Amino acid sequence: STCGDLFVIARYLGSGAEVALWHEQGPHANQWLNSSASIPQVVNQSYVIVIRHVHTLGRFRGDVAVDDFSFVDCSPSMPAPRCPSTMFQCLDSTCIDPLAVCDYTVDCGSGYDELDSQCSRIDGRCNFESSLCGYTQLKTNSMDWTVGRGLAAISPTAPQADHTTMTATGHYLYIQADRVHSRNDVAAIATPLMRPPQGACSVSFCYRMYGSELGTLNVSVATGNEPSTAWSRTGNQGDQWQCAKVKINSFVTEDFTVVFSANRGSGVKDAIAVDDVSFSQGC
């Protein structure tokens, strides 16, 4: 018997965009299973959660049930009269980690931590909506990163929406496996040159790695020496955007760049995408 496909989807009310947060295909025996999914926060956009079941064509045996939904850390923190000096204070007096400021993820209820007035000054920050922001494709590449968007996606494994706007018109950086390039071909792109960190320094970014035979996405810190790998993921990570934050103080005492490199896997339609790269204010 089969149970078809079960999806958990975030529908953003401002744009109408839908983002698959979780997907599972049955059957999974006669038992209750637990799972969870992260919900990307978009500035000035509310959302609803949609539970969608899709029957397998021509097969209707089996049952699907869901129960016990809960939301964790989805509400703003309780306001504080005054935040400690080590914290960032939102307009509503809630306190957040300063490393969460200008990381393209809303942490203040009003979106105050992501306002252009304070985030546009950050070197290396890029959502790829209008340009590559001074990022440079490495000359050693056997393939290059491409700016794409959901409307132009030619493969079902490519993102159908970006992370910044959660719409099909938003842009992101990606590599798409094809029959032109070979397995283990590498695409690498470097941020503009950054000054030595003046405080707690981290790079944040969102990524999507979807496909059955994906390669590897590496994030490296490069100075005058050989680049040092600070973060890495290999293989299918699911049909949704995920975000990461990597501390880089321990890697640098001089000018540096951050390099995003992806190698092609053995699949012919798999895709690796990156969006919303930013640096903490200590950088």
Side-chain angles (χ1 to χ4, degrees):
S1 65
T2 182
C3 295
D5 295 82
L6 183 64
F7 296 86
V8 177
I9 295 166
R11 178 184 295 157
Y12 293 88
L13 303 182
S15 63
E18 290 191 350
V19 178
L21 307 176
W22 179 92
H23 169 226
E24 194 65 67
Q25 190 174 52
H28 285 292
N30 186 24
Q31 59 183 329
W32 287 103
L33 300 173
N34 294 319
S35 192
S36 63
S38 298
I39 305 172
Q41 303 295 305
V42 179
V43 176
N44 295 328
Q45 286 207 44
S46 301
Y47 61 87
V48 295
I49 299 299
V50 178
I51 311 302
R52 181 175 296 160
H53 176 254
V54 179
H55 282 297
T56 302
L57 184 64
R59 300 178 182 178
F60 300 98
R61 298 177 60 192
D63 298 296
V64 176
V66 294
D67 198 7
D68 293 343
F69 282 89
S70 63
F71 291 82
V72 179
D73 295 331
C74 293
S75 299
S77 303
M78 292 298 293
R82 186 179 182 86
C83 293
S85 59
T86 56
M87 302 292 283
F88 177 87
Q89 186 154 352
C90 303
L91 286 178
D92 59 2
S93 296
T94 56
C95 307
I96 64 172
D97 188 329
L99 294 181
V101 177
C102 298
D103 63 353
Y104 286 106
T105 300
V106 176
D107 295 283
C108 293
S110 62
Y112 179 63
D113 56 313
E114 299 299 320
L115 292 179
D116 285 342
S117 57
Q118 60 188 352
C119 297
S120 60
R121 304 188 301 268
I122 296 177
D123 292 338
R125 178 178 168 87
C126 194
N127 59 16
F128 308 105
E129 289 303 316
S130 59
S131 72
L132 282 177
C133 310
Y135 284 44
T136 306
Q137 310 266 11
L138 299 196
K139 295 180 180 179
T140 55
N141 284 356
S142 45
M143 60 188 302
D144 282 338
W145 289 91
T146 302
V147 175
R149 58 178 182 155
L151 285 176
I154 60 175
S155 168
T157 60
Q160 303 303 301
D162 72 330
H163 180 266
T164 314
T165 66
M166 291 295 174
T167 66
T169 57
H171 296 79
Y172 50 80
L173 206 61
Y174 82 111
I175 67 164
Q176 178 77 57
D178 54 36
R179 300 186 184 278
V180 176
H181 298 95
S182 303
R183 182 178 184 179
N184 292 325
D185 277 0
V186 176
I189 192 167
T191 66
L193 190 66
M194 308 283 293
R195 296 293 186 185
Q198 301 300 307
C201 177
S202 66
V203 58
S204 61
F205 58 95
C206 298
Y207 65 97
R208 183 182 176 281
M209 302 173 65
Y210 185 46
S212 58
E213 301 171 285
L214 276 171
T216 299
L217 174 64
N218 290 315
V219 178
S220 303
V221 180
T223 58
N225 303 315
E226 192 72 17
S228 300
T229 301
W231 181 95
S232 182
R233 291 290 184 275
T234 299
N236 183 28
Q237 303 295 313
D239 184 16
Q240 64 273 326
W241 286 102
Q242 303 180 59
C243 297
K245 191 178 276 89
V246 180
K247 294 182 179 181
I248 57 180
N249 288 79
S250 59
F251 293 92
V252 295
T253 56
E254 55 188 305
D255 292 353
F256 69 96
T257 61
V258 172
V259 179
F260 293 86
S261 61
N263 70 291
R264 184 193 184 283
S266 57
V268 295
K269 294 183 178 181
D270 299 345
I272 296 176
V274 171
D275 200 6
D276 290 347
V277 181
S278 191
F279 291 84
S280 63
Q281 294 178 331
C283 297

